[in-house]
Amino acid sequence: MVTRTTAPAATQPAPAPSRPHAPQHASPPQSVAAAAAARRAAQALPPAARKAATVVQKNMRRAASGMLGISGERMSKVDTAWLRMDSDSNLMMINGVWTLSPGITWQALCERVQQRLLQYPRFHQRVVEDAAGATWVEDRHFNIAAHVLREKLPHRKGHSMQRALQDRVGELAMQPLDPRRPLWQMHLIEDFVGDDGAKGSALIVRIHHCIADGIALISVTMSLVDGGAEPPRRKPRSKGDAAATAEDWIADMLIKPFTGLTVKALDLAGDGAARSLQMLGDPEKTMQHGLAGTMDMARVAYQLVSDAAALALMPDDSPTRLKGPPGRAKRVAWCPPIPLEEVKAIGKALNCSINDVLLSCVAGAIGGYLRNQGDDPTGQEIRAMIPVNLRPMEEAWKLGNHFGLVPLVLPIGMANPVERVYEVRARMNALKGSTQPILAFAMLAVAGLMIKPAQDALLNLFGRKTTAVMTNVPGPKEQLTMCGAKVTQCMFWVPQSGDIGLGVSILSYGGGVQFGVITDTTLCPEPQQIIDAFAPEFAQLSLLTLMLPWGE
């Protein structure tokens, strides 16, 4: 069991500065006589009935204000879909770990969180659900001590603190956040010793996916570190602002990525497709382009229809021990960083991207793990859903979820590393110009409009056809410090939905690249065995690259 201690009252940091509450709106007009009659009728009720009536009235008022957007800020439909996607086997939380040297104190962390993190409204707002969706509402009883916790890792004979930290992250990945509070928590282990023997602290971070996606959380991270900038101030919306009301509609959710050209963010759309998407969102410009614009529109319309059919008719991937109904326990693992320059050198030598190299090593590590378990993965493939950013990086501070999903089939059965990296490159190139990320984004927006059973049925389309969720997030190039301590390692794990039991994360930070895995223990009891296969795969690819015959 993990011991959790709370600082004495005298050492608790001062409460966060008060913030203006959401404006209160007057009740619908009614006559004074009618109001007096209602009060007299309520007073005539027995005390128990009066109390019950008050509770019902409060709940009805809360639901009505949520549905009508009267109080708080309405949650977007995409974020609502992520909010409702929690299940007994998979919670929609992004889990992360930082190790810091030397250590930091709980008090220092609380002060930093109050100064920086709470500048983002989402981190002091709770979620109120109703029949039509959900609303962000100010938590008037916000308490920093309920969100920043201090812990001590249990000491188990034969297990390092690193293993204890991994076990604890796995436990927390299956512990729901308190829905009565803002949906995030930090767990600080003040005295931590890593496998390298360095003394310091470890910080476990849990944030519900409805608050933000991984790219947006990088912006949050940069505000927490020493020297980090505060988030830009959001301009208040006027009552006549059309965008304020249009955000809840699927048209706005779908057209914004088209007109913003943000599909180019991760180079998953070619220039021609991007121009076509812009024209699709701007018919007036299309008319100005004449026939050329019409042809581009026809091409993108054909691409949309083709990609929609491809999503709906995706074949099942190969049955492996990594696919099946998940249980209710998770475990995580991660490897030491690999120098980013080495990855770039291999990519340059093979005329491949860094992503091609890393995804090929992931496929090789999974195939190697299956071979070590006695399975033969020859000829087998698994599908991984890869998030694709759909917004400019300079807008990441706004939080929320603005990404689509694209299915990549990984050739886990290819044993030759060079052959495998070229196959991954070919498959990644085939995705360029695809509108599948936008279609997936639209599907999430539609799911947010549905009741939960209908939403689950729609989103299970991905779960049935997929073995893994895989994310590659570019982190800071320079090593960071927080509260005076150096951030020696940082890692995160993406949540899985439906019956998906494998999550793979790749994060570049401080000149290195790290590979992390989270698995359902029913499907993969020891994810460290997949991690242990990653470095040998990279080393083998590096060696074979050096041995290839190169021209003068």
Side-chain angles (χ1 to χ4, degrees):
M1 295 294 292
V2 174
T3 10
R4 184 179 294 131
T5 58
T6 306
T11 63
Q12 298 269 352
S18 61
R19 299 177 185 82
H21 298 309
Q24 299 298 312
H25 294 257
S27 304
Q30 56 180 326
S31 71
V32 177
R39 280 196 299 271
R40 285 195 299 272
Q43 290 168 359
L45 292 171
R50 252 199 330 269
K51 184 178 179 182
T54 303
V55 171
V56 170
Q57 185 184 35
K58 181 180 178 182
N59 289 338
M60 289 294 291
R61 197 163 50 236
R62 180 182 297 168
S65 11
M67 292 173 68
L68 299 175
I70 294 173
S71 175
E73 182 184 348
R74 202 69 178 146
M75 183 182 288
S76 77
K77 295 307 178 186
V78 173
D79 294 344
T80 302
W82 285 107
L83 175 68
R84 293 175 171 175
M85 223 181 292
D86 285 334
S87 68
D88 292 338
S89 297
N90 285 312
L91 298 178
M92 294 300 104
M93 283 190 301
I94 298 172
N95 298 277
V97 166
W98 281 11
T99 55
L100 304 109
S101 180
I104 64 173
T105 65
W106 181 81
Q107 289 85 353
L109 178 60
C110 287
E111 289 174 8
R112 179 61 57 87
V113 167
Q114 287 180 328
Q115 294 166 359
R116 304 281 181 81
L117 190 65
L118 297 187
Q119 296 297 317
Y120 294 88
R122 292 291 178 263
F123 290 91
H124 52 80
Q125 292 172 332
R126 59 190 182 89
V127 174
V128 176
E129 290 193 72
D130 55 67
T135 303
W136 298 104
V137 177
E138 185 75 17
D139 183 2
R140 303 191 181 199
H141 305 288
F142 181 85
N143 180 6
I144 190 74
H147 294 272
V148 181
L149 311 174
R150 56 175 16 158
E151 296 194 1
K152 289 187 178 295
L153 291 177
H155 178 71
R156 297 177 185 173
K157 190 174 181 180
H159 281 189
S160 65
M161 287 193 77
Q162 177 88 358
R163 176 57 189 264
L165 179 62
Q166 291 178 342
D167 290 345
R168 182 58 179 152
V169 175
E171 290 174 0
L172 288 172
M174 290 304 295
Q175 289 186 13
L177 294 161
D178 187 347
R180 299 167 300 177
R181 302 180 184 275
L183 296 176
W184 65 276
Q185 271 189 336
M186 294 182 178
H187 304 252
L188 178 66
I189 296 98
E190 291 177 291
D191 300 312
F192 176 78
V193 180
D195 285 347
D196 57 0
K199 295 182 179 179
S201 298
L203 180 64
I204 305 171
V205 181
R206 303 192 297 151
I207 301 176
H208 199 284
H209 216 310
C210 71
I211 292 180
D213 54 38
I215 292 290
L217 290 177
I218 292 293
S219 177
V220 173
T221 298
M222 295 308 295
S223 72
L224 279 174
V225 300
D226 296 344
E230 292 188 2
R233 298 291 179 182
R234 185 188 297 268
K235 294 180 180 178
R237 286 172 171 169
S238 62
K239 290 183 179 179
D241 186 1
T245 55
E247 187 172 324
D248 273 346
W249 297 96
I250 178 62
D252 187 53
M253 301 302 290
L254 189 56
I255 294 299
K256 274 186 178 178
F258 286 174
T259 56
L261 295 181
T262 55
V263 185
K264 296 175 70 177
L266 292 186
D267 194 29
L268 282 180
D271 290 340
R275 283 195 300 270
S276 300
L277 293 175
Q278 184 184 32
M279 291 175 184
L280 189 61
D282 193 346
E284 190 173 327
K285 186 176 289 186
T286 302
M287 295 299 293
Q288 293 172 359
H289 280 74
L291 182 61
T294 304
M295 294 299 293
D296 279 344
M297 286 286 288
R299 275 196 293 271
V300 78
Y302 175 78
Q303 186 71 50
L304 281 165
V305 172
S306 300
D307 289 341
L311 276 176
L313 301 175
M314 285 189 301
D316 293 342
D317 48 3
S318 302
T320 68
R321 65 174 61 236
L322 296 174
K323 188 170 180 61
R328 298 190 180 184
K330 300 279 187 186
R331 189 159 289 161
V332 306
W334 64 94
C335 67
I338 294 171
L340 183 58
E341 288 303 318
E342 292 186 22
V343 182
K344 289 181 178 178
I346 293 175
K348 186 175 181 180
L350 297 177
N351 194 25
C352 296
S353 70
I354 293 175
N355 275 348
D356 297 337
V357 173
L358 294 173
L359 292 174
S360 173
C361 291
V362 169
I366 293 173
Y369 167 77
L370 293 175
R371 275 188 289 272
N372 291 337
Q373 298 300 308
D375 302 338
D376 182 10
T378 304
Q380 291 190 329
E381 300 175 327
I382 64 170
R383 184 176 290 103
M385 298 304 293
I386 299 180
V388 177
N389 185 35
L390 291 177
R391 67 169 149 203
M393 290 296 291
E394 62 269 17
E395 294 185 6
W397 62 272
K398 294 180 180 178
L399 303 188
N401 289 275
H402 294 270
F403 69 94
L405 295 166
V406 61
L408 175 66
V409 180
L410 294 173
I412 61 172
M414 283 189 175
N416 186 308
V418 176
E419 180 185 8
R420 189 172 59 245
V421 76
Y422 282 130
E423 182 62 26
V424 169
R425 183 185 68 173
R427 296 181 184 191
M428 289 293 288
N429 286 339
L431 293 174
K432 290 184 178 180
S434 168
T435 61
Q436 286 184 357
I438 296 174
L439 290 170
F441 181 80
M443 188 178 293
L444 286 169
V446 170
L449 292 165
M450 297 178 172
I451 60 173
K452 183 164 171 52
Q455 173 182 310
D456 292 343
L458 177 62
L459 297 177
N460 279 343
L461 167 69
F462 292 130
R464 290 195 305 269
K465 307 290 185 179
T466 305
T467 295
V469 176
M470 192 172 299
T471 302
N472 186 352
V473 173
K477 295 179 181 179
E478 305 298 327
Q479 200 163 53
L480 306 173
T481 62
M482 187 172 78
C483 302
K486 188 180 294 184
V487 180
T488 54
Q489 269 194 358
C490 58
M491 196 60 227
F492 75 103
W493 294 269
V494 294
Q496 305 83 59
S497 61
D499 284 346
I500 301 174
L502 173 63
V504 180
S505 303
I506 301 172
L507 176 70
S508 59
Y509 165 65
V513 179
Q514 281 192 269
F515 172 55
V517 172
I518 181 168
T519 63
D520 179 87
T521 56
T522 302
L523 303 175
C524 178
E526 289 294 339
Q528 188 64 46
Q529 294 177 11
I530 298 179
I531 289 293
D532 291 342
F534 181 74
E537 282 293 334
F538 179 79
Q540 189 179 16
L541 178 61
S542 179
L543 179 62
L544 289 175
T545 302
L546 290 173
M547 293 173 62
L548 288 174
W550 303 108
E552 294 295 331

